[in-house]
Amino acid sequence: MKRAMLWLLLLCLTGALAGCGHATAVAPAPTETAAAEAAPGSSEQVIDAPRLGFHFALPEQYENARGTLNWSARYVSAGVQEIALDYYAVAQEQRSAYTDFLTAYSEAIRSGTQLPEAPDPAWLSGWEYGNLFLLYAINGNRGEEELLAALWDTDRVSAEAFASLEELGTDGSSRFFLGQLALPADELDAYRENMGEFYVEFEALRADKESFLSAATLREPQWPHTLAVGGTIEYEAADLDGTPRRSADIFAEAKVTMINLWATWCPPCKAELPELGAMAKEFEAKGCRIIGVCLDADSDSVAATARSILSDAGADYLNLRAAGNVGQVFPTEVVPVTLFVDSSGRILTEPIEGAYPDTYRQTLEEALALVG
């Protein structure tokens, strides 16, 4: 039941580069396509994620929720998107530091000034939480069996993990499903005890499926699917020192290039940089290279911050700034995300969401085998 979501308290913001996501050691990024226009608990909150096919104006009963509601949006795999709503047994007034940070971050994005440092979210790890609802969009007129296969492949989530999964309807070539994760029967008493007085509210919100669905508009996702296996990455941008670079030239220098999408404000991104620096040296002899794309380095000040972070981590491989079309080239909804391409920029494997250095190593070896 407990998916690791320590870094997911940040909400999506209008005007930046990526959206919210959830996975072990994954941080959500502010986005132009998944925007929360008010804090959780406000009846005026709007979640607008056209790339994922979802739009919400939250129902009124969420306005006075005592616990903390956390939205996240993510790309599961090619043609499969998810919106999740989770409930934390922690009072919303304890989130003031995050509310202040989100406001400051949004202002910094708009004004081009130095981005504020994110507050440490480790305190959240001590609080019980549970899933309220999951909404899925799957394209190609595929159904429940294909959706479960995609979830099992990426998350090891089987049909038994769901208390319910039901089809809501279609729009265009996409079908929509509503799911709820099953409460852990063997841990339910401890779960109730850990949630304490919040459990009653959690159960009431979880049971009110009709109000939740009344707040949702489901439309054909606008996701461009450029990160699907077989797609090609083409990217022109300056590196962190301001030197213009072309992806075609970069990729031609190696059999396989690992592209790590990260941000200076993202704790999991920064935590894995020392390991990536070591991997860059380790795999160089095998014909592989690692590059980074710093998604918030769209100004000289943030580029300088990124250089400092990389230097401290010993990650001295090439890093690029975010270009004006980064949302189209890398339409990811979480960071970090890691891609593997051949010498022509062709994507060889499914993107890896989250900070998983051991998985990177394994995938690099698999990618090398693919290119021969």
Side-chain angles (χ1 to χ4, degrees):
M1 174 63 182
K2 264 199 168 183
R3 293 165 294 147
M5 294 179 64
L6 305 187
W7 304 110
L8 295 178
L9 191 57
L10 298 177
L11 294 175
C12 306
L13 292 171
T14 303
L17 302 175
C20 293
H22 64 83
T24 302
V26 175
T31 180
E32 61 187 2
T33 58
E37 297 175 350
S42 168
S43 61
E44 297 178 354
Q45 183 180 359
V46 174
I47 305 295
D48 190 24
R51 282 184 182 170
L52 303 180
F54 305 112
H55 177 89
F56 297 89
L58 291 188
E60 186 174 355
Q61 57 266 46
Y62 287 88
E63 179 176 0
N64 298 315
R66 185 164 180 269
T68 293
L69 306 177
N70 183 59
W71 289 94
S72 57
R74 66 161 182 157
Y75 163 95
V76 176
S77 62
V80 182
Q81 282 77 244
E82 176 191 88
I83 291 276
L85 174 61
D86 294 297
Y87 179 95
Y88 282 84
V90 54
Q92 293 190 44
E93 53 265 27
Q94 297 185 34
R95 296 188 52 206
S96 59
Y98 287 90
T99 302
D100 293 343
F101 165 72
L102 292 173
T103 301
Y105 196 106
S106 182
E107 289 299 322
I109 287 292
R110 282 193 286 267
S111 63
T113 56
Q114 180 69 39
L115 296 177
E117 183 175 350
D120 180 5
W123 64 271
L124 190 60
S125 62
W127 297 94
E128 191 73 52
Y129 75 92
N131 170 250
L132 293 176
F133 302 103
L134 295 162
L135 268 172
Y136 294 100
I138 180 168
N139 71 355
N141 290 311
R142 293 174 291 170
E144 180 176 333
E145 184 176 342
E146 290 86 354
L147 173 60
L148 289 170
L151 295 173
W152 175 250
D153 184 56
T154 56
D155 294 346
R156 298 297 183 263
V157 176
S158 66
E160 290 72 29
F162 288 94
S164 64
L165 183 64
E166 60 183 277
E167 184 171 352
L168 299 178
T170 63
D171 188 60
S173 66
S174 293
R175 299 172 72 177
F176 295 90
F177 291 84
L178 177 70
Q180 284 184 313
L181 294 176
L183 295 175
D186 57 339
E187 303 174 12
L188 194 52
D189 289 341
Y191 190 76
R192 290 194 187 98
E193 181 178 351
N194 291 338
M195 268 204 170
E197 58 187 320
F198 290 93
Y199 187 80
V200 173
E201 181 176 68
F202 166 68
E203 279 283 82
L205 290 174
R206 184 177 164 92
D208 193 4
K209 186 185 304 182
E210 289 73 18
S211 292
F212 175 78
L213 290 176
S214 70
T217 301
L218 309 177
R219 299 190 182 96
E220 175 80 1
Q222 299 172 14
W223 189 270
H225 304 296
T226 57
L227 299 189
V229 174
T232 300
I233 295 294
E234 295 182 5
Y235 189 54
E236 294 186 17
D239 61 25
L240 295 180
D241 294 321
T243 303
R245 302 277 188 164
R246 293 178 64 248
S247 61
D249 299 332
I250 295 168
F251 300 150
E253 296 174 357
K255 295 179 181 178
V256 173
T257 298
M258 177 178 136
I259 309 168
N260 182 250
L261 310 177
W262 68 289
T264 62
W265 56 264
C266 164
C269 300
K270 293 186 285 188
E272 70 173 354
L273 288 175
E275 188 79 9
L276 297 186
M279 284 179 57
K281 297 178 177 66
E282 176 186 341
F283 278 88
E284 185 178 6
K286 297 183 179 182
C288 300
R289 73 176 304 178
I290 296 176
I291 69 169
V293 177
C294 186
L295 294 178
D296 61 334
D298 54 356
S299 68
D300 289 341
S301 61
V302 180
T305 298
R307 288 197 301 270
S308 176
I309 292 170
L310 290 162
S311 176
D312 291 345
D316 56 1
Y317 50 85
L318 174 66
N319 266 260
L320 304 176
R321 299 189 186 199
N325 65 340
V326 69
Q328 286 71 50
V329 178
F330 301 112
T332 178
E333 298 298 324
V334 299
V335 286
V337 170
T338 303
L339 305 165
F340 300 83
V341 301
D342 65 13
S343 58
S344 67
R346 181 173 59 92
I347 299 173
L348 299 169
T349 69
E350 287 284 347
I352 297 174
E353 294 182 348
Y356 300 104
D358 289 343
T359 303
Y360 302 158
R361 283 190 169 84
Q362 178 183 341
T363 307
L364 276 171
E365 297 288 2
E366 294 171 356
L368 278 170
L370 289 172
V371 299

